[in-house]
Amino acid sequence: MHRRQLGTSGLEVSAIGLGCMGLSLAYGPPMDRGAAIELIRAAHDLGVTFFDTAEAYGENEELLGEAVAPFREEVVVATKFGWKDGNLRTGTLDSTPERIRLVAEQSLRRLRTDRIDLFYQHRVDPQVPIEEVAGAVQDLIQKGKVKHFGLSEAGVQTIRRAHAVQPVAALQSEYSMFSRDPEAEILPTLEELGIGFVPFSPLGKGFLTGKIDVGTTFAEGDIRNTLPRFEAEARVTNHRIATAVTGIAARKGVPPAQVALAWLLAQKPWIVPIPGTSKLGRLRENVGGADVELSADDLREIAGMLSSLQVQGERYAPQGMKMVDR
Ligand SMILES: NC(=O)c1ccc[n+]([C@@H]2O[C@H](COP(=O)([O-])OP(=O)(O)OC[C@H]3O[C@@H](n4cnc5c(N)ncnc54)[C@H](OP(=O)(O)O)[C@@H]3O)[C@@H](O)[C@H]2O)c1
């Protein structure tokens, strides 16, 4: 797979990474550990060199650490700090410098590594000035425990303030044909500052693959049971977007997931999506998205489709939306 630079940070990664969260959290019961390790190693065999996890993703860091141990030097491992006690379910943030230092030590151990290649703040903590957060990560960088600093779901003012203290290598926020908020202010700011962008949920949490329809039910514990966008009424409207993507994909003779990923790659050369899957066939399909070229006509057709079809429903429930820094 070809590689991309995340902005001007010098961080080079495969054009498509692997989001590992769903192997342990958010989409129903965790995957069998052995099978998850096999999947991560298969991703490496397919050319993926960028793996995404977080302190708050359950057993995910341990899993990833074990999986990449045989080829650790060839890959970029990104993890995140920022939830109180490392637990998303508390709904409480904690980016105090003491906590950041503690998470770094614990994550290094769980990941079986001597450095975290990219250490993101998972959500902006309104209780801790971002300069203090950037300073704490800077100390870790100076000690060699962290290579690069990242933010997630941060707004432009926060990005600028953080970047002034410690250059930010990448922002990770939700972005797909299904969630286009970053286009207005975030992408121009990142371009100006030379910061890379890592779209999470690049397949719209599965919606853009055409495999989810109005009648699809999700397992107990699947986050999509709680998201406004996946409620019955919203799904009827939103399914039109997935249907349109499926139509474009069929004409190009590729799967819809590849169109969704190729569309992201076509937006900027410093964008690197991190789709997640628990299935080997889908992993291959997603990785193949890096080779799909969308022509100017394809991109015009998609732009037209997206301007005529409005996504219905927020991407998170109100509590989750409150955590998004504007
Ligand atoms: N920073 C943050 O706050 C944040 C938030 C959310 C996610 N993330 C990161 O972003 C990564 C990706 O996001 P995500 O997992 O939420 O969403 P996603 O990649 O948009 O979608 C994942 C869903 O799509 C399905 N899927 C994947 N490939 C498919 C294909 N080719 N055909 C049909 N279905 C397919 C998966 O199901 P199967 O497993 O059944 O294939 C899974 O349910 C996560 O793993 C995590 O690392 C970060």
Side-chain angles (χ1 to χ4, degrees):
M1 195 186 337
H2 69 277
R3 299 196 175 202
R4 288 191 160 204
Q5 299 281 337
L6 281 173
T8 53
S9 63
L11 193 54
E12 188 184 85
V13 292
S14 54
I16 291 181
L18 179 67
C20 297
M21 175 187 76
L23 306 179
S24 308
L25 190 89
Y27 295 119
M31 202 179 163
D32 168 76
R33 188 181 171 94
I37 289 173
E38 233 173 83
L39 187 102
I40 292 168
R41 292 184 177 161
H44 171 250
D45 291 343
L46 289 166
V48 173
T49 68
F50 188 32
F51 294 88
D52 188 74
T53 183
E55 181 205 17
Y57 295 166
E59 306 281 297
N60 207 243
E61 286 185 321
E62 283 98 332
L63 190 70
L64 181 59
E66 182 177 344
V68 303
F71 45 82
R72 174 68 184 94
E73 297 310 313
E74 297 165 35
V75 297
V76 169
V77 173
T79 192
K80 314 180 194 84
F81 61 86
W83 292 93
K84 184 168 166 26
D85 304 325
N87 186 352
L88 283 160
R89 291 188 183 89
T90 61
T92 308
L93 299 169
D94 185 351
S95 274
T96 50
E98 313 80 76
R99 177 77 198 160
I100 295 171
R101 284 191 284 273
L102 180 69
V103 178
E105 291 305 329
Q106 293 174 341
S107 293
L108 284 168
R109 208 175 51 244
R110 286 188 292 255
L111 287 164
R112 302 186 186 193
T113 189
D114 61 353
R115 88 270 170 201
I116 296 164
D117 299 306
L118 176 55
F119 204 26
Y120 295 102
Q121 183 191 39
H122 210 148
R123 287 289 182 277
V124 176
D125 183 347
Q127 306 300 324
V128 184
I130 198 68
E131 289 79 3
E132 276 184 35
V133 173
V137 176
Q138 186 168 62
D139 284 347
L140 291 165
I141 291 174
Q142 280 163 1
K143 292 191 170 88
K145 295 181 180 192
V146 167
K147 290 285 177 209
H148 296 277
F149 177 33
L151 298 169
S152 178
E153 292 287 0
V156 290
Q157 294 315 320
T158 306
I159 295 168
R160 285 185 188 282
R161 285 169 50 198
H163 193 70
V165 176
Q166 168 59 44
V168 176
L171 175 76
Q172 180 180 130
S173 293
E174 185 161 355
Y175 184 39
S176 70
M177 283 190 227
F178 212 44
S179 286
R180 296 171 57 211
D181 308 352
E183 289 178 357
E185 287 190 321
I186 297 282
L187 294 185
T189 303
L190 299 184
E191 186 148 48
E192 176 198 326
L193 300 176
I195 299 174
F197 188 51
V198 178
F200 76 69
S201 302
L203 302 171
K205 298 188 163 66
F207 217 115
L208 293 165
T209 68
K211 296 283 190 297
I212 295 172
D213 63 21
V214 177
T216 305
T217 54
F218 300 116
E220 204 183 316
D222 189 313
I223 189 180
R224 291 169 292 193
N225 290 319
T226 68
L227 303 179
R229 211 159 259 205
F230 285 85
E231 282 168 10
E233 195 191 317
R235 232 194 271 185
V236 175
T237 308
N238 297 338
H239 191 246
R240 290 184 198 129
I241 298 178
T243 305
V245 175
T246 304
I248 294 164
R251 274 202 301 289
K252 289 191 70 70
V254 299
Q258 293 190 350
V259 170
L261 295 169
W263 178 82
L264 284 167
L265 292 172
Q267 302 308 306
K268 296 287 174 192
W270 36 267
I271 288 185
V272 178
I274 47 165
T277 181
S278 53
K279 299 180 177 64
L280 192 54
R282 291 178 173 181
L283 170 69
R284 282 202 199 95
E285 188 170 291
N286 296 345
V287 165
D291 297 323
V292 171
E293 289 272 343
L294 296 177
S295 67
D297 281 348
D298 294 330
L299 291 169
R300 256 193 302 278
E301 181 181 354
I302 293 171
M305 178 272 283
L306 292 176
S307 62
S308 66
L309 295 174
Q310 214 65 43
V311 178
Q312 193 182 324
E314 288 281 21
R315 55 199 179 91
Y316 285 118
Q319 181 59 22
M321 286 311 294
K322 271 195 226 146
M323 304 269 175
V324 173
D325 181 49
R326 301 279 184 192

